[in-house]
Amino acid sequence: MKTFLLIFLIFPTNNVHAALNKWIDSNGQIHYSDVPPPPEVQGTKLRGTTSAEPSSPQNESDAASAEPKSLAEREAELKKARQDKKAAEEKAAKDQAYADSLKASCAGARQNLMVLKDGRRIAELDASGETVYMEDDQRQERIRKTEQDIEKYCK
């Protein structure tokens, strides 16, 4: 009984990879066969075989895609993809932090310009800790520098 079961399980799998050809003979009769048609008759291959000799790919990319990748190659590709994604995320975070710092610098420079142009007296502490009031020429110089900062940070 086990022998028959084994035969019945093996029998259907033998023909799975068989070729199937179709051709029309000189009498107009259609033939289907696993044997190739005679050389003088044009035939159509409906299903191919898996032969022992590998087919030659057209280009190198076909050769790479035709052969299955090993586990180590797939793991290496996955690791590289993860590293690329992490690097892209880090770059995006770095770019966002830079943009945020420019935005803050712009806002600070605009605020300083408003204070300088307000016309009120501006007092600063000198190195000894005493209060010193800003002169008009110092104010104009600071306004000019702050406007340059605004051009630099507020793009």
Side-chain angles (χ1 to χ4, degrees):
M1 183 69 169
K2 289 182 183 179
T3 307
F4 290 117
L5 181 61
L6 184 61
I7 290 172
F8 284 121
L9 291 175
I10 293 174
F11 180 70
T13 62
N14 283 340
N15 293 328
V16 170
H17 299 291
L20 182 59
N21 298 298
K22 174 184 174 182
W23 75 90
I24 301 174
D25 65 6
S26 59
N27 298 332
Q29 189 172 359
I30 300 174
H31 294 274
Y32 294 94
S33 175
D34 61 345
V35 179
E40 66 272 359
V41 178
Q42 179 68 27
T44 306
K45 190 177 231 180
L46 300 176
R47 184 174 62 201
T49 62
T50 55
S51 61
E53 60 185 63
S55 61
S56 61
Q58 297 297 327
N59 57 32
E60 199 170 302
S61 67
D62 289 345
S65 65
E67 297 177 9
K69 295 179 181 174
S70 70
L71 182 60
E73 290 172 331
R74 289 184 295 188
E75 285 181 3
E77 286 179 358
L78 181 61
K79 185 177 180 182
K80 185 177 182 326
R82 285 181 182 159
Q83 288 174 345
D84 291 345
K85 184 178 178 182
K86 185 177 179 183
E89 287 173 354
E90 287 174 354
K91 184 181 182 311
K94 193 176 192 181
D95 291 345
Q96 183 63 39
Y98 180 71
D100 291 345
S101 69
L102 280 179
K103 196 177 201 181
S105 297
C106 176
R110 287 180 192 249
Q111 181 67 33
N112 287 343
L113 185 62
M114 282 181 12
V115 169
L116 288 169
K117 287 186 173 182
D118 190 19
R120 295 183 188 162
R121 290 186 74 183
I122 298 175
E124 295 180 320
L125 296 177
D126 64 1
S128 63
E130 294 183 21
T131 303
V132 178
Y133 292 99
M134 189 181 294
E135 300 292 328
D136 287 339
D137 56 336
Q138 291 174 331
R139 180 186 296 259
Q140 291 303 320
E141 179 63 28
R142 289 263 182 100
I143 288 174
R144 187 187 59 76
K145 185 182 179 316
T146 304
E147 288 172 344
Q148 289 175 351
D149 289 343
I150 289 174
E151 287 180 21
K152 180 179 176 182
Y153 298 128
C154 303
K155 293 180 182 179

